[in-house]
Amino acid sequence: MDLERLLTDRLTPAFTAVAGGPVDPVVRRSPRADFQSDAALALARRLGRPPREIAQAVLDRAVLDDVCAAAEVSGPGFVNLTIDDGALAGMVAALAADDRLGVPVTADPETVVVDYSGPNVAKEMHVGHLRSTVIGDAAVRLLGWLGHRVVRVNHLGDWGTPFGMLIAHLVDLGEAEAAQELSIGDLDGFYRAARSKFDADPAFQVRARQRVVALQGGDPETRRLWRLLVEQSQRYFLTVYRLLDVTLTEDDFRGESAYNDRLGAVVGDLDRLGLLTDSAGATCAFPPGFTGRDGAPLPLIVRKGDGGYGYPATDLAALRLRTGELGATRLLYVVGLPQRQHFAMVFAVAGQAGWLRPPARAEHLGFGSVLGPDGRMLRSRAGGSVKLVDLLTEAVARATALARTKNPALDEADAAEIGRAVGIGAIKYADLATDRTRDYVLDWERMLALDGNTAPYLQYAYARTRSVSRRAGTKVGPDARIVLTAPAERALAFELLGFATVVHEVARTAEFHQLAGYLHRLATRFSAFYERCPVLRADGELRASRLLLTDLTGRTLRQGLHLLGIRTVERM
Ligand code: ARG
């Protein structure tokens, strides 16, 4: 049981009785006691009574004896609560006996669609896709662990006019040659070559346009060539996912082309609902509340002047399928902030059409950019965008080298395993540990540092808990009695009890930096505990208790990191 919740449950009826109406006691951790409530201060004005008197009246009514060693009024009218050591120990013991570390499966599971990664066929994955992939993966893991039915959707960009030039270029190169180029992951090279031919050669342009028509018309040969491009790209993306250690699989690709057959019906229905207007040749929806800088209503173009459907129509079709056919009540879109308006308008139109209505809701989980050391958008030395694989390879190489210098006795296989876990973990953690909506600077030194709010620090803390357990020799069962005496020990216990609250909060907000911050705090508390409280040198009951605390910390760190998609290693 989470202590803040428990104390809130105990104080609420007392406050409510004293105030004559519902009051949130706002219980917080406090350096003065263990917990503090300042609700009496806010109530004083409303009730016209001195805050200390209110606080005392609350304490007279609240049932706290079984949890608190002391409950008193302090300062201008705070309620200070000190938890009883025995009660605290009992709660920690319950946590240790629970496989789920005090985090229950949700009482109301729902179907959640997570739309993430979404790279584009025959285009390199860049750092923006890194962010989407890493954040989306964490959402999938966390919500799945809580018992929700999670549907992973990789909204691959596999449709649209660029495929005309890509297919024409493929034909020029010859299939074997093209497959070769794509399979080594030179996606940008392929795309650029097609683009420059298209820009320079009118005859190529004609062939490209014919291919667009043939593709949309379902011409079998053109479709086959298109599929070749899609499959080669998918194969390549899967190698990146494997390297990145995310749960996305082959079955999760549901590209834009998958909605192709539904676009006509979607636009037809919007039209019947009276939601469409012709504007400058295009068919548009004008959802209320969206205006441009000049104050004129903003269009969401569902059908272009040339009759083609685009990105917005596809997203409307996808949304309707997700709420309608998949029965999802929560839709998460992990896509960069530049697409904020696109999603806001898509959601608004879907709402007007009745495809998105409570309890179903959609959230755009936007994110900021990854910046280079110069504080500008991250660029490669040649000035282009940075290839995601290059970034990951570099991270693993750096982390492996670091592991070797720290521990020259490591054998090849261990160094490789640690290098991979730490390198990839560091990249992912640096991303997840910053507020999603902010830009951040990719700083190798900082993200690979063994201290600070980094993956290696947490992985190291975990490995240390494992090494303590190994050295203890005896295995301590989860039924060992917990004895809490030292302040560092109590502080660790409080932190361990806070895991459930953070997990549930992050499931609601998708603010993964809160979970990262929690794990960092936990590791820091463990460090302090380990420094001040002898574990292996303690005796009898105390030794068993401290070993159990160490083990519980390790399990919590591992589970928390696992939810973020970050591996742990048993030794570092
Ligand atoms: N392919 C898009 C891009 O690279 C991302 C797709 C996001 N998902 C969606 N349903 N629109 O920007």
Side-chain angles (χ1 to χ4, degrees):
M1 177 62 151
D2 154 27
L3 264 167
E4 265 154 68
R5 162 73 52 73
L6 177 72
L7 297 172
T8 302
D9 288 351
R10 299 297 182 87
L11 290 181
T12 301
F15 264 111
T16 303
V18 172
V23 178
D24 176 357
V26 205
V27 177
R28 293 223 179 80
R29 281 282 285 149
S30 151
R32 297 179 183 282
D34 292 328
F35 290 91
Q36 190 171 70
S37 158
D38 61 4
L41 298 166
L43 267 183
R45 243 161 297 133
R46 221 177 80 196
L47 301 181
R49 285 170 66 183
R52 286 188 62 96
E53 194 185 303
I54 297 174
Q56 192 53 56
V58 165
L59 282 180
D60 290 343
R61 283 171 177 269
V63 182
L64 294 163
D65 288 355
D66 55 332
V67 228
C68 294
E72 57 211 6
V73 178
S74 93
F78 296 117
V79 169
N80 278 1
L81 304 170
T82 305
I83 303 299
D84 174 67
D85 286 344
L88 183 59
M91 283 182 247
V92 174
L95 207 56
D98 179 5
D99 278 346
R100 294 189 52 94
L101 302 161
V103 185
V105 168
T106 176
D108 27 20
E110 56 182 341
T111 298
V112 187
V113 169
V114 185
D115 180 320
Y116 65 118
S117 197
N120 301 309
V121 166
K123 272 195 184 166
E124 193 51 63
M125 277 176 91
H126 53 72
V127 287
H129 295 116
L130 166 79
R131 296 213 69 184
S132 172
T133 308
V134 167
I135 297 166
D137 185 56
V140 166
R141 287 166 184 263
L142 187 96
L143 294 169
W145 192 55
L146 288 177
H148 295 290
R149 187 178 151 247
V150 180
V151 184
R152 295 182 292 244
V153 175
N154 195 346
H155 197 83
L156 186 70
D158 64 355
W159 202 248
T161 42
F163 281 88
M165 73 179 193
L166 291 168
I167 292 169
H169 179 53
L170 173 85
V171 172
D172 286 3
L173 273 183
E175 288 174 37
E177 175 68 32
Q180 166 75 9
E181 209 169 285
L182 293 170
S183 66
I184 58 162
D186 191 9
L187 271 56
D188 277 347
F190 187 91
Y191 196 95
R192 256 199 308 275
R195 178 92 248 168
S196 57
K197 262 201 275 180
F198 187 87
D199 290 341
D201 179 356
F204 182 83
Q205 267 179 33
V206 172
R207 275 185 287 138
R209 296 221 166 89
Q210 283 164 348
R211 286 293 180 183
V212 177
V213 176
L215 182 65
Q216 283 167 348
D219 168 55
E221 173 61 6
T222 305
R223 282 279 170 130
R224 188 182 67 78
L225 295 168
W226 167 77
R227 209 165 302 123
L228 208 101
L229 278 174
V230 173
E231 277 164 13
Q232 287 295 344
S233 301
Q234 286 186 345
R235 199 165 306 156
Y236 170 69
F237 295 143
L238 286 168
T239 61
V240 180
Y241 297 147
R242 226 158 289 141
L243 186 58
L244 198 51
D245 223 344
V246 293
T247 55
L248 271 173
T249 68
E250 203 177 340
D251 300 332
D252 304 320
F253 286 114
R254 215 154 308 154
E256 295 178 19
S257 64
Y259 306 97
N260 204 27
D261 295 342
R262 300 164 180 265
L263 301 176
V266 161
V267 173
D269 287 347
L270 291 175
D271 197 24
R272 259 188 297 284
L273 290 164
L275 294 172
L276 300 183
T277 319
D278 279 336
S279 172
T283 310
C284 306
F286 288 92
F290 293 89
T291 46
R293 242 176 251 141
D294 54 359
L298 273 181
L300 184 72
I301 302 177
V302 296
R303 191 162 197 189
K304 292 179 274 190
D306 65 5
Y309 304 102
Y311 194 59
T314 306
D315 262 322
L316 284 165
L319 189 152
R320 172 148 92 162
L321 180 134
R322 291 168 191 181
T323 53
E325 286 167 50
L326 301 179
T329 46
R330 190 175 183 193
L331 308 179
L332 302 178
Y333 293 80
V334 193
V335 187
L337 279 171
Q339 293 191 37
R340 183 160 78 181
Q341 180 165 284
H342 162 76
F343 284 111
M345 293 179 82
V346 166
F347 300 162
V349 173
Q352 288 181 291
W355 304 333
L356 182 65
R357 46 165 185 243
R361 67 257 185 237
E363 297 156 58
H364 173 212
L365 303 183
F367 51 78
S369 309
V370 183
L371 308 177
D374 57 357
R376 297 165 170 230
M377 295 287 278
L378 188 67
R379 294 262 164 242
S380 69
R381 232 164 288 154
S385 58
V386 174
K387 268 175 86 162
L388 190 48
V389 251
D390 293 346
L391 197 74
L392 301 180
T393 315
E394 179 166 358
V396 173
R398 281 178 185 260
T400 311
L402 269 177
R404 282 224 178 79
T405 19
K406 290 247 148 61
N407 186 355
L410 272 183
D411 68 39
E412 202 66 30
D414 284 346
E417 197 205 338
I418 296 173
R420 226 194 118 189
V422 173
I424 299 297
I427 292 253
K428 292 169 113 175
Y429 191 84
D431 197 298
L432 293 165
T434 30
D435 181 335
R436 200 180 62 226
T437 56
R438 301 236 312 257
D439 298 345
Y440 71 90
V441 173
L442 190 119
D443 179 339
W444 290 112
E445 310 270 286
R446 204 175 61 203
M447 70 182 163
L448 285 167
L450 270 174
D451 47 19
N453 190 10
T454 66
Y457 176 70
L458 298 180
Q459 289 167 317
Y460 184 71
Y462 171 74
R464 192 150 69 160
T465 65
R466 302 302 298 152
S467 122
V468 172
S469 302
R470 275 195 304 274
R471 280 187 291 143
T474 50
K475 182 132 182 57
V476 175
D479 47 355
R481 215 168 82 83
I482 296 279
V483 196
L484 299 171
T485 48
E489 214 163 28
R490 296 181 90 249
L492 178 61
F494 283 126
E495 212 59 65
L496 286 164
L497 286 167
F499 187 50
T501 307
V502 172
V503 168
H504 284 293
E505 187 62 11
V506 176
R508 196 174 61 77
T509 62
E511 289 180 352
F512 293 97
H513 69 282
Q514 305 286 4
L515 177 54
Y518 167 81
L519 294 172
H520 179 241
R521 259 190 331 271
L522 178 62
T524 310
R525 298 265 186 267
F526 176 71
S527 257
F529 156 80
Y530 193 69
E531 237 164 67
R532 280 164 221 161
C533 307
V535 178
L536 295 170
R537 279 174 290 112
D539 287 320
E541 204 173 50
L542 197 57
R543 184 175 193 267
S545 167
R546 288 181 176 171
L547 278 172
L548 189 55
L549 277 179
T550 302
D551 183 65
L552 181 56
T553 303
R555 283 165 58 200
T556 309
L557 285 172
R558 186 179 53 197
Q559 181 62 36
L561 285 170
H562 175 76
L563 293 176
L564 295 178
I566 293 167
R567 280 192 197 208
T568 45
V569 286
E570 296 299 296
R571 297 161 208 266
M572 260 174 89

